[in-house]
Amino acid sequence: MKQETHAATRPLFIRRSHLKQVTGLSPSTVDRLERAGIFPQRRRVGPGVVGWLYSEVSAFLEQRERA
């Protein structure tokens, strides 16, 4: 039950302004890894607004920890 509550409080999208706080990666590193197909692709959230799916960024970070 705790897991459901925790999942409900996580953001669906991470905006660029918070991406470094979550990943520890600079914007230029995120851009480079994204172009290389290593980092999750950004999604259009609204007009002129992009974000990354929290679940995909979280999976990316878990994969890097295992490597």
Side-chain angles (χ1 to χ4, degrees):
M1 182 133 163
K2 252 186 176 181
Q3 190 174 22
E4 290 175 16
T5 304
H6 178 69
T9 61
R10 289 190 315 227
L12 183 58
F13 284 95
I14 302 171
R15 299 280 306 274
R16 182 178 284 280
S17 58
H18 292 106
L19 200 56
K20 184 169 183 166
Q21 292 173 315
V22 173
T23 65
L25 301 172
S26 71
S28 59
T29 299
V30 168
D31 291 344
R32 183 175 46 81
L33 294 174
E34 189 178 14
R35 279 192 307 273
I38 298 168
F39 195 81
Q41 294 293 308
R42 65 190 82 193
R43 312 277 177 115
R44 183 156 307 282
V45 179
V49 179
V50 297
W52 288 261
L53 279 174
Y54 180 88
S55 59
E56 292 179 355
V57 172
S58 180
F60 165 79
L61 293 172
E62 287 178 18
Q63 181 66 28
R64 281 183 62 125
E65 287 178 8
R66 283 187 238 136

